[in-house]
Amino acid sequence: MLHEMEVAGLALDPSNNTPILVLKSLDGEQTLPIWIGLLEAASIAMALQNVEFSRPMTHDLFKNFVDTLAISVDKVEVCDLQESTFFARIFFKGEEGEFSLDARPSDAIAIALRTKSPIFAEDEVIAKSSTSGPGIAEDESEEGKKWAEYLEKLNPEDFGKYKM
């Protein structure tokens, strides 16, 4: 069974300073923490805050490409979890029909946010996932401080604006 999800926020794993994307089911019953890369976290944060650049970033470029081809992103699904690696699919619709592509969840979600497409997660993925709450790292390195400062500047109220 699929659960429609929304981005609840971004955090840092306190053990290794890896960004965590936290998805929450629209009914509020389930959460799904997904460890992602720093650049993907920044891209998701930019989409959540509606930040636009003078030149398109990678996920914006992909959205522009899809728009140019008159294809729509129907939905994204976090569909599997194997050996601590999450898997996702992006589902498209166009004049020629429907198709899907394998993607990293961080990329799929960054694209879903830009295209205002719904995000779903499989029951099995949620069940397999550890739902212990992520926390903010106590990293004293310069990079850790910069990342923590960046995340602290994000307005939590912005996350609630993006119900899919």
Side-chain angles (χ1 to χ4, degrees):
M1 180 172 143
L2 290 174
H3 296 274
E4 190 167 0
M5 310 294 277
E6 64 184 345
V7 175
L10 293 164
L12 284 176
D13 183 325
S15 65
N16 60 13
N17 299 324
T18 302
I20 303 170
L21 169 66
V22 181
L23 298 179
K24 180 182 79 163
S25 64
L26 290 184
D27 63 15
E29 298 282 324
Q30 294 95 0
T31 60
L32 182 61
I34 301 174
W35 281 250
I36 63 175
L38 181 62
L39 296 176
E40 292 79 9
S43 179
I44 288 168
M46 295 300 109
L48 289 170
Q49 293 184 347
N50 292 318
V51 173
E52 293 185 23
F53 297 97
S54 59
R55 305 287 301 149
M57 302 301 285
T58 304
H59 296 110
D60 301 307
L61 179 64
F62 188 87
K63 179 198 177 295
N64 294 344
F65 180 75
V66 166
D67 289 346
T68 299
L69 294 178
I71 297 170
S72 64
V73 176
D74 188 42
K75 65 181 176 180
V76 303
E77 290 180 12
V78 181
C79 56
D80 202 1
L81 174 58
Q82 298 176 18
E83 299 178 16
S84 300
T85 301
F86 289 89
F87 295 83
R89 294 202 71 75
I90 305 173
F91 291 83
F92 300 91
K93 283 186 179 178
E95 287 183 22
E96 301 292 319
E98 299 177 9
F99 64 98
S100 67
L101 295 173
D102 178 42
R104 296 182 303 179
S106 55
D107 292 325
I109 291 165
I111 290 166
L113 291 172
R114 285 166 172 78
T115 59
K116 310 290 188 241
S117 303
I119 301 166
F120 293 91
E122 285 281 352
D123 242 349
E124 185 176 312
V125 173
I126 295 169
K128 284 183 185 179
S129 172
S130 167
T131 56
S132 60
I136 300 298
E138 300 286 334
D139 182 6
E140 296 300 321
S141 72
E142 199 58 40
E143 185 167 336
K145 288 179 184 177
K146 285 180 186 175
W147 180 240
E149 182 181 317
Y150 173 77
L151 288 177
E152 284 174 18
K153 289 180 183 177
L154 295 178
N155 183 352
E157 293 174 1
D158 290 337
F159 295 118
K161 294 180 183 176
Y162 300 95
K163 291 192 178 183
M164 303 289 169

